[in-house]
Amino acid sequence: MAKQISDLKLGILGGGQLGRMLIQEAINYNLVTHVLDPDHDAPCKDIAHKFECGSITDFDTVYQFGKKADIITIEIEKVNIEALEQLEREGKIVYPQPRVIRLIQDKGIQKQFFKENDIPTAPFQLFSSKEDLPNCAFPFPYIVKQRRDGYDGKGVMLISNADDADQAFESPLLAEALVDFDKEISVIVSRNANGDVRTFPVVEMEFNKEANLVEFLISPSTYPETIQQKAEKIAVSIASALNITGLLAVEMFVTHDGDILVNELAPRPHNSGHHSIEGNYTSQFAQHLRAIFNLPPGDTRALSNAVMINLLGEKKHEGLAVYQDLERVMAIEGVYVHLYGKKYTKPFRKMGHVTVVDQNREKAIEKARYVQQTLKVIS
Amino acid sequence: MAKQISDLKLGILGGGQLGRMLIQEAINYNLVTHVLDPDHDAPCKDIAHKFECGSITDFDTVYQFGKKADIITIEIEKVNIEALEQLEREGKIVYPQPRVIRLIQDKGIQKQFFKENDIPTAPFQLFSSKEDLPNCAFPFPYIVKQRRDGYDGKGVMLISNADDADQAFESPLLAEALVDFDKEISVIVSRNANGDVRTFPVVEMEFNKEANLVEFLISPSTYPETIQQKAEKIAVSIASALNITGLLAVEMFVTHDGDILVNELAPRPHNSGHHSIEGNYTSQFAQHLRAIFNLPPGDTRALSNAVMINLLGEKKHEGLAVYQDLERVMAIEGVYVHLYGKKYTKPFRKMGHVTVVDQNREKAIEKARYVQQTLKVIS
């Protein structure tokens, strides 16, 4: 008899909140989960069948970890690709595929991929170092990003003048023309090994500009059908062009003219899909498991309006985390709290999220505002 | 600052599927979970922060286990009450309270409690042994139950004649007049330490007569409002009379005349509440945590029609479990699979459950029938 999902050992590179929520779902299928993370106190530590503390960027550590799993996935892109490629050559299943992670790891290569595949994206230029920024063709202000290792808003700068350019990152850079967009949206798309592709409904994001993090997400979008269909079509075309197996989050800008420009990709469950746990028939975590185990995609329709808020560590608070007024927000109907098991808070650290579900969109937003003003992560 | 939920260690007596689903929910609150179970391969083994293999009926084992927790709960009634009472005397929080578990552990005392509190229930008599059954006042056929330790339909017999009575259990017995009921229903009610009480909507159960187990559950009920309100009122009056802190499942019969008779209680999450994970705004597991941590009760309304099926091990199959045609049922919209992490199947063993959610009640039932005929647990 062929191996079944419930017999398989899933190796997860990275043990943060995405891995944690993936494990919560994996429990439903008897999956055995092994997690590798350099933080001995990572959110997955106590809920994985086996937690290994070690580097996810070191060849040997990743290779030895992968050898023990039947199927390997990631919850963060910054992993050792060479080890994953070696494991793949030796017959291990690695989803998303290492070549996809390699492409997405480098924002420069990502942008070139968009260009080659006629995916609309903001104009860009690549620079080997900040010393070359004076050659940048874009007017001030423009954006520079580290080509590698940026996450949660780190590794991104707005360049308003020559002095800013002087202060930019040391590493190879991607410069982008500033897009004067109406809103940022996201479409999460899944693709299994059979090639079955399914998108989640378009969601709208609101950023905390100070922290440069998604702070507020609204599902589903109220953009006109034509714009939403265009966004979903772009997400599907990227997943197909990549031939990815797994989940792909596609972050996009909607311009004031209703055009769509792809910003960035993430080949895994994503912050812009957390609301799907309560807000959609199938969660992004369940969908990722379905995709990598080659099961049929689940129903992605929205059950209700859902608003997701990231719980970020309060400014000036560093130390043992305290969740102030948790009880007050739990008294509101349709409020779902997810804490990430992080012992220590620091300013802007993602400590959890809250999803507010309400059939009435305005009420959901109103409740989310209340939660945001009430529930604070302090020390 | 007062201790918060995310700082507390929750000790759970019993490490079966109820504990497993409780832990899946507890992860959202950073709860540290310790589990005690005599089976070294129990469903909670790999997902609890700490799993201890040991007897839950032995005084010392339970007492030592409880000493290490901040708050203690159960997922099965058959536990050492004396140890829990001792822990309570020493200031530990034990919810449900040991006196409630003690009362419910003994079906005879449960029945007397119903009588004393004017809770409608089928006529009963208590016997110290089967030798006294000839004195039973009920006409054949009647029901006998072991006063203690029955579960999942074990410890229950239909007595149709004097020979059957000869074959009854050796232990103290409860005899009940046979109720010619229309349907069995269940109401789950929660009560926190503040005394906030909340019921889940009435659900209807269908039994597998051969296995004497709930096999099919439909939420919400379509009984007339008057009957449903009567059932909810009874559930609330029992929770209040018991002064329970935690969840209480109240199983009841609806007679052909529309009367309600209480059958049995369970002071914990219950098989008749599994559908609430996807079918209601708040799941029974989340509600139990809210109750024992004295948080406000969550919204219990049904989100949709939901039908729950227990996945029982197939007859004649004993050994390593195989989930036949899992993929086929996962291809259907609104089908949620929960496997319990049990390595070995045997006839009628509860290996998992499936909840089918559909806005159309008839469609939900039809899909559930298909799942029941398709997904088989074999060896």
Side-chain angles (χ1 to χ4, degrees):
Chain A
M1 172 146 268
K3 279 235 175 184
Q4 53 183 352
I5 181 167
S6 60
D7 290 331
L8 296 172
K9 219 174 285 169
L10 175 64
I12 307 171
L13 294 179
Q17 59 265 20
L18 298 171
R20 185 171 165 101
M21 291 184 271
L22 193 65
I23 290 173
Q24 270 179 296
E25 182 62 33
I27 292 170
N28 290 330
Y29 302 105
N30 292 354
L31 272 168
V32 174
T33 51
H34 286 196
V35 170
L36 179 66
D37 194 282
D39 177 1
H40 63 87
D41 234 358
C44 290
K45 182 187 60 153
D46 292 302
I47 65 167
H49 287 60
K50 210 174 131 187
F51 177 77
E52 204 177 310
C53 187
S55 167
I56 55 175
T57 53
D58 174 67
F59 181 94
D60 284 333
T61 312
V62 171
Y63 176 74
Q64 293 304 335
F65 173 81
K67 287 292 272 185
K68 290 172 274 181
D70 295 306
I71 164 163
I72 300 146
T73 193
I74 59 164
E75 61 113 56
I76 182 170
E77 290 88 84
K78 198 189 168 183
V79 294
N80 189 292
I81 299 291
E82 291 71 24
L84 292 179
E85 285 170 340
Q86 181 61 30
L87 289 160
E88 201 179 39
R89 273 192 296 273
E90 292 176 16
K92 289 281 179 202
I93 299 174
V94 186
Y95 288 147
Q97 302 91 326
R99 62 170 176 77
V100 173
I101 308 172
R102 183 184 281 285
L103 187 151
I104 289 175
Q105 266 186 350
D106 184 325
K107 290 180 178 141
I109 299 179
Q110 232 187 93
K111 279 288 211 176
Q112 282 166 333
F113 166 83
F114 296 153
K115 206 171 161 184
E116 283 157 18
N117 288 274
D118 294 319
I119 309 292
T121 190
F124 68 97
Q125 287 188 286
L126 304 181
F127 296 99
S128 53
S129 80
K130 68 177 180 183
E131 279 65 43
D132 299 329
L133 277 182
N135 301 328
C136 181
F138 306 131
F140 296 122
Y142 60 87
I143 302 280
V144 296
K145 295 178 177 174
Q146 284 183 295
R147 284 181 59 169
R148 296 178 154 272
D149 303 344
Y151 71 97
D152 277 2
K154 291 181 187 72
V156 180
M157 268 182 83
L158 185 73
I159 305 294
S160 299
N161 51 51
D163 278 357
D164 285 351
D166 261 3
Q167 305 294 316
F169 314 104
E170 291 296 337
S171 53
L173 296 174
L174 161 72
E176 281 185 332
L178 194 66
V179 176
D180 182 23
F181 59 90
D182 180 44
K183 271 182 187 159
E184 182 157 9
I185 60 171
S186 169
V187 173
I188 291 178
V189 54
S190 72
R191 189 175 172 282
N192 68 13
N194 280 353
D196 297 326
V197 176
R198 188 79 59 98
T199 54
F200 282 81
V202 179
V203 299
E204 298 173 6
M205 292 181 278
E206 280 186 28
F207 273 75
N208 175 328
K209 279 181 188 145
E210 195 179 356
N212 201 18
L213 279 176
V214 177
E215 193 168 40
F216 213 87
L217 176 142
I218 307 175
S219 164
S221 167
T222 50
Y223 270 121
E225 242 345 272
T226 49
I227 291 184
Q228 296 200 40
Q229 280 169 0
K230 210 185 327 178
E232 286 170 10
K233 215 174 141 190
I234 289 171
V236 168
S237 71
I238 297 175
S240 303
L242 287 173
N243 256 306
I244 188 173
T245 300
L247 218 59
L248 182 74
V250 183
E251 293 182 276
M252 296 173 262
F253 299 118
V254 181
T255 69
H256 296 287
D257 303 329
D259 286 333
I260 287 172
L261 298 172
V262 174
N263 180 23
E264 277 182 27
L265 307 178
R268 50 165 172 81
H270 187 257
N271 201 165
S272 66
H274 290 353
H275 67 284
S276 61
I277 298 173
E278 293 90 6
N280 297 66
Y281 279 93
T282 304
S283 81
Q284 65 166 343
F285 302 100
Q287 198 75 321
H288 185 61
L289 293 177
R290 282 171 177 260
I292 66 176
F293 286 98
N294 203 20
L295 292 162
D299 181 359
T300 53
R301 281 175 303 157
L303 270 161
S304 178
N305 290 294
V307 179
M308 192 282 303
I309 312 143
N310 282 323
L311 285 180
L312 307 179
E314 283 292 301
K315 277 188 289 187
K316 297 182 190 163
H317 285 269
E318 200 150 350
L320 274 175
V322 173
Y323 302 89
Q324 189 179 270
D325 286 328
L326 181 61
E327 193 174 328
R328 279 172 65 202
V329 308
M330 284 181 70
I332 311 164
E333 283 186 351
V335 168
Y336 299 90
V337 175
H338 297 259
L339 305 183
Y340 296 157
K342 298 177 184 175
K343 215 167 164 178
Y344 299 98
T345 183
K346 58 186 179 188
F348 304 119
R349 189 174 192 201
K350 283 185 184 168
M351 300 300 289
H353 77 263
V354 175
T355 298
V356 178
V357 162
D358 202 297
Q359 291 304 330
N360 179 313
R361 180 182 161 102
E362 290 315 308
K363 267 198 189 151
I365 294 172
E366 195 183 297
K367 286 179 184 176
R369 289 234 159 82
Y370 175 80
V371 171
Q372 205 164 34
Q373 282 153 16
T374 306
L375 177 54
K376 302 279 182 193
V377 188
I378 58 173
S379 61
Chain B
M1 171 146 267
K3 279 232 175 185
Q4 54 182 352
I5 181 167
S6 60
D7 290 331
L8 296 172
K9 221 175 281 169
L10 175 64
I12 307 171
L13 294 179
Q17 59 264 20
L18 298 171
R20 185 173 164 99
M21 290 184 271
L22 193 65
I23 290 173
Q24 270 179 297
E25 182 62 32
I27 292 169
N28 291 330
Y29 303 105
N30 291 355
L31 272 169
V32 174
T33 52
H34 286 196
V35 170
L36 179 66
D37 194 282
D39 177 2
H40 63 85
D41 234 358
C44 290
K45 183 186 59 152
D46 292 303
I47 66 167
H49 286 60
K50 209 175 131 186
F51 177 77
E52 205 177 309
C53 186
S55 167
I56 55 175
T57 55
D58 174 66
F59 181 93
D60 283 336
T61 312
V62 171
Y63 177 73
Q64 293 305 334
F65 173 81
K67 289 291 273 183
K68 290 172 274 180
D70 295 305
I71 164 162
I72 300 147
T73 193
I74 58 162
E75 60 113 54
I76 182 167
E77 291 86 84
K78 199 188 168 185
V79 294
N80 189 290
I81 298 292
E82 291 72 26
L84 292 180
E85 285 170 340
Q86 181 60 30
L87 289 161
E88 203 179 39
R89 274 193 295 274
E90 293 177 17
K92 288 283 179 202
I93 299 174
V94 185
Y95 288 147
Q97 302 91 327
R99 63 170 176 76
V100 174
I101 308 171
R102 183 184 281 284
L103 188 151
I104 290 175
Q105 266 186 350
D106 184 324
K107 289 180 178 139
I109 299 181
Q110 231 187 95
K111 279 289 210 177
Q112 283 167 332
F113 166 83
F114 295 154
K115 208 172 161 183
E116 284 157 18
N117 289 274
D118 295 320
I119 308 291
T121 189
F124 68 97
Q125 287 189 285
L126 303 181
F127 296 99
S128 53
S129 80
K130 68 177 181 186
E131 279 64 43
D132 299 329
L133 279 182
N135 302 327
C136 183
F138 306 129
F140 295 123
Y142 61 86
I143 301 280
V144 296
K145 294 177 177 175
Q146 286 183 293
R147 285 181 59 169
R148 296 178 154 273
D149 303 345
Y151 70 98
D152 277 2
K154 291 178 188 75
V156 180
M157 267 182 83
L158 185 73
I159 306 293
S160 299
N161 51 50
D163 279 357
D164 283 352
D166 263 4
Q167 305 295 315
F169 314 104
E170 291 297 338
S171 53
L173 296 173
L174 162 73
E176 280 185 332
L178 195 65
V179 176
D180 183 22
F181 59 89
D182 180 46
K183 272 181 187 162
E184 182 159 8
I185 59 172
S186 169
V187 172
I188 292 179
V189 55
S190 72
R191 189 175 172 283
N192 67 13
N194 279 353
D196 297 327
V197 175
R198 188 78 60 97
T199 55
F200 281 81
V202 179
V203 300
E204 299 172 6
M205 291 181 280
E206 283 186 27
F207 272 76
N208 175 328
K209 280 182 188 145
E210 193 178 358
N212 201 17
L213 278 176
V214 177
E215 194 168 39
F216 212 87
L217 177 143
I218 306 176
S219 164
S221 166
T222 50
Y223 269 121
E225 241 347 272
T226 51
I227 292 184
Q228 297 200 40
Q229 280 169 2
K230 210 184 328 180
E232 285 171 12
K233 216 174 139 191
I234 290 171
V236 168
S237 70
I238 298 175
S240 302
L242 287 173
N243 256 306
I244 189 174
T245 301
L247 219 58
L248 182 74
V250 183
E251 294 183 275
M252 295 172 263
F253 299 118
V254 181
T255 69
H256 295 290
D257 302 330
D259 286 334
I260 287 172
L261 298 172
V262 174
N263 180 23
E264 277 181 24
L265 307 178
R268 51 165 171 81
H270 187 256
N271 201 165
S272 65
H274 289 354
H275 67 284
S276 61
I277 298 173
E278 293 91 5
N280 297 67
Y281 278 94
T282 304
S283 81
Q284 65 166 343
F285 302 100
Q287 198 76 324
H288 185 62
L289 293 177
R290 283 172 177 260
I292 66 177
F293 286 98
N294 203 20
L295 292 163
D299 181 1
T300 55
R301 281 175 303 158
L303 269 161
S304 178
N305 290 292
V307 180
M308 193 280 305
I309 312 143
N310 281 323
L311 285 179
L312 307 179
E314 283 293 300
K315 278 189 289 187
K316 298 181 189 164
H317 286 268
E318 200 152 348
L320 273 175
V322 173
Y323 301 89
Q324 190 179 270
D325 285 328
L326 181 61
E327 191 174 329
R328 277 172 66 203
V329 309
M330 285 181 70
I332 310 165
E333 282 186 354
V335 167
Y336 299 90
V337 175
H338 296 260
L339 304 182
Y340 295 159
K342 297 177 184 175
K343 214 166 165 178
Y344 298 99
T345 184
K346 58 185 179 191
F348 303 118
R349 188 173 193 202
K350 282 185 185 168
M351 300 299 288
H353 77 264
V354 175
T355 298
V356 178
V357 162
D358 202 298
Q359 290 305 329
N360 180 312
R361 180 180 161 102
E362 290 314 309
K363 266 197 189 153
I365 294 172
E366 195 183 297
K367 285 179 184 177
R369 290 235 158 82
Y370 174 80
V371 171
Q372 205 163 33
Q373 284 153 16
T374 307
L375 177 53
K376 302 280 182 194
V377 188
I378 59 173
S379 59

